[in-house]
Amino acid sequence: MALQDTTPLSEDALNHAAQSIIAGNDRGGYTVPTASLYPYQWNWDSAIVAMGFAAFDLDRAWTEIETLMAHQWPDGMIPHIIFHQEVPSYFPGPSVWGTGRPVPTSGHSQPPVAAFCAEELLKRNHSPENLERASRVFDALMRWHRWWHDYRDPGGLGVVAITHPWESGRDNSSDWDDALEAVDGSNVEPYERRDLQHVDAAMRPTHEEYNRYIALVEFGRSLGWNARDIGTRNPFFVADPGCTFILLAADRALMRIAQTLKKIDDMPIIEEWIARAEAGCQRLWDKDQQTFTALDLRSSRHGQGVSNAALLCFFAETGTPAQKRAMLSHYDRIREKTGFGVPSHDPDSPVFDAKRYWRGPVWAFMNMMIGRGLLAHGHIREAMQVWDDTRTLIRDAGFAEYFDCNTGNPAGGVAFSWTAATWLQYGAVGAPWAPGAVPTSL
């Protein structure tokens, strides 16, 4: 297994290294998260990487998002993986998904971060060419957001559900533990995990969890990946605070893009989505735990503990004043118990694990969204603490996939595209998140 050089780098060296990582992971029109471990185009990785490209190559940044949009399904979904070429070393590959697309893809989506990523690109240049590219991307984003609202919120509750932990992007979060109990993973087809050839098993989901992940893929495949049928019949259907808050923030970004592009006919639709979500987010509030958490729509049970996704309420600009005070209290409590913030799960939880994927580690791009939200609400101390931690982690441990929240050690994949992109967009001196800088728009 390759080891990452953890010698601290200077600002200039970090900027150069970040660009080199993104360029090195560029496969011509799309970027892989990191070589070997993730050899395809991932949805939210790709959108975040576009923001990194924008720091030094705006044309290539638009191409990244355009390539992602080009593989949109007829129903509007943008899949979470696009298999541009066969890589036999990766599991589960296109044959396991069996989606039947002209270019093979996975069968579900991922958190819809692309709208606010596209907004960042548009902010950089309002030239006619940039506006035209933004307009084409906007139309695809409208279809995708409509898919989320129609197929992942079929009851019009104002929250969006996921049909697989992978759809949340927070694969093994404890938010899904109870709901996964309803998924029988004992009869899945034989398979060999390839992720453990690249990353320590202590940093990855367990084998039992993985069996259930594959069982859900096999179930979706058995339904021909019909989004309506899956939403009705899938044993796993959980309202996700991460996707719900990200979609609300993305809808707000979509509205701002619509205003810039004068997409008058689309504005009332987006306004309706925003209003529904603002009301619906209250369903995710657990009074006993005083936090936003997942809600299993099959059993009506809330998840346990405070995740970093819950703190995205600030990014989504939602929650009552009392709820926001409670979330700030959670933030302070959690930050005092870890070496670095924001951990992906509550250190007071019995299932907390400082280095296992989404059960404790820190993710730079999640910190970006949390920090933006905190700053937008005037919580300067907390916002800058999040960014000081993020900058320190990257400066001292490099561009890892994620970081141990207690030690700051790098974890997961190395030379990771979205960590490099986060640094280029928000981490470097002079960027909107440099100490003392407050962005004029978010």
Side-chain angles (χ1 to χ4, degrees):
M1 183 183 302
L3 296 177
Q4 181 158 343
D5 182 1
T6 57
T7 303
L9 299 174
S10 68
E11 297 278 339
D12 287 345
L14 281 164
N15 293 338
H16 177 74
Q19 289 191 28
S20 296
I21 286 169
I22 291 177
N25 288 333
D26 185 354
R27 297 295 180 267
Y30 71 94
T31 307
V32 300
T34 188
S36 300
L37 181 59
Y38 302 114
Y40 298 110
Q41 184 179 20
W42 260 258
N43 186 320
W44 67 336
D45 294 71
S46 193
I48 292 164
V49 168
M51 294 195 301
F53 268 122
F56 61 97
D57 189 342
L58 187 57
D59 175 71
R60 180 62 185 80
W62 278 115
T63 298
E64 187 76 21
I65 292 183
E66 289 164 348
T67 302
L68 185 62
M69 301 294 117
H71 295 85
Q72 187 167 40
W73 284 27
D75 64 5
M77 185 190 77
I78 298 176
H80 100 286
I81 306 174
I82 302 167
F83 301 105
H84 289 281
Q85 56 185 353
E86 182 69 32
V87 181
S89 63
Y90 179 79
F91 178 86
S95 62
V96 178
W97 290 93
T99 56
R101 301 294 302 153
V103 174
T105 73
S106 59
H108 55 63
S109 199
Q110 254 192 334
V113 298
F116 52 81
C117 296
E119 183 186 20
E120 293 292 339
L121 273 56
L122 182 57
K123 285 178 184 177
R124 289 179 175 268
N125 191 321
H126 280 190
S127 68
E129 179 186 1
N130 226 37
L131 290 169
E132 182 180 349
R133 296 179 84 165
S135 181
R136 291 195 298 269
V137 166
F138 174 88
D139 292 341
L141 289 171
M142 275 295 297
R143 293 193 296 274
W144 188 28
H145 284 214
R146 184 178 288 109
W147 178 89
W148 275 104
H149 290 287
D150 288 352
Y151 291 104
R152 293 299 187 255
D153 183 19
L157 300 177
V159 293
V160 293
I162 57 168
T163 61
H164 194 295
W166 290 340
E167 192 162 53
S168 74
R170 300 184 298 124
D171 300 13
N172 70 325
S173 169
S174 66
D175 279 351
W176 327 129
D177 286 357
D178 289 344
L180 278 173
E181 291 294 327
V183 180
D184 181 6
S186 63
N187 296 311
V188 295
E189 299 171 2
Y191 66 90
E192 178 185 356
R193 287 180 64 174
R194 306 295 175 86
D195 58 325
L196 302 184
Q197 297 175 8
H198 305 284
V199 176
D200 187 340
M203 299 178 183
R204 298 291 293 173
T206 66
H207 189 66
E208 182 180 11
E209 288 169 330
Y210 222 85
N211 282 346
R212 289 179 166 139
Y213 300 160
I214 299 304
L216 287 171
V217 171
E218 292 178 354
F219 183 81
R221 189 180 65 203
S222 74
L223 296 180
W225 297 108
N226 182 293
R228 187 73 66 194
D229 288 348
I230 291 172
T232 302
R233 299 171 54 188
N234 203 57
F236 183 94
F237 200 64
V238 183
D240 172 24
C243 282
T244 297
F245 289 151
I246 286 171
L247 181 61
L248 177 52
D251 280 339
R252 296 189 193 280
L254 201 62
M255 175 61 81
R256 293 189 292 268
I257 296 173
Q259 291 166 344
T260 299
L261 300 176
K262 297 180 172 54
K263 299 276 189 175
I264 305 299
D265 293 341
D266 295 301
M267 292 182 192
I269 299 169
I270 303 172
E271 286 177 351
E272 181 182 344
W273 291 341
I274 292 171
R276 187 191 311 160
E278 286 177 336
C281 285
Q282 290 301 310
R283 297 177 184 274
L284 301 179
W285 183 255
D286 187 310
K287 292 187 293 184
D288 295 333
Q289 299 182 81
Q290 286 291 290
T291 186
F292 295 100
T293 189
L295 177 63
D296 186 343
L297 296 181
R298 301 293 188 238
S299 69
S300 299
R301 290 188 299 179
H302 279 279
Q304 298 298 308
V306 182
S307 70
N308 56 356
L311 285 162
L312 292 175
C313 63
F314 296 99
F315 185 56
E317 303 175 49
T318 194
T320 67
Q323 289 168 345
K324 291 174 182 174
R325 287 194 297 271
M327 295 310 304
L328 285 173
S329 178
H330 282 305
Y331 169 82
D332 286 335
R333 171 183 60 81
I334 289 170
R335 183 61 188 81
E336 287 179 1
K337 292 177 178 290
T338 59
F340 300 90
V342 178
S344 43
H345 196 61
D346 192 333
D348 285 334
S349 168
V351 298
F352 169 79
D353 187 329
K355 65 179 181 181
R356 190 182 292 278
Y357 217 38
W358 289 94
R359 290 181 178 256
V362 177
W363 300 75
F365 77 96
M366 288 290 287
N367 278 6
M368 174 269 289
M369 293 187 285
I370 293 168
R372 282 180 60 152
L374 289 167
L375 189 58
H377 285 80
H379 304 301
I380 308 299
R381 175 185 66 85
E382 295 87 351
M384 299 319 299
Q385 185 179 51
V386 170
W387 273 105
D388 285 344
D389 281 355
T390 307
R391 288 168 55 83
T392 299
L393 287 167
I394 293 174
R395 186 186 66 239
D396 293 350
F399 297 97
E401 183 179 3
Y402 48 97
F403 305 86
D404 184 310
C405 66
N406 286 333
T407 66
N409 290 337
V414 300
F416 221 82
S417 294
W418 65 13
T419 308
T422 300
W423 172 267
L424 288 171
Q425 181 71 1
Y426 296 110
V429 170
W433 287 95
V438 178
T440 57
S441 61
L442 292 169

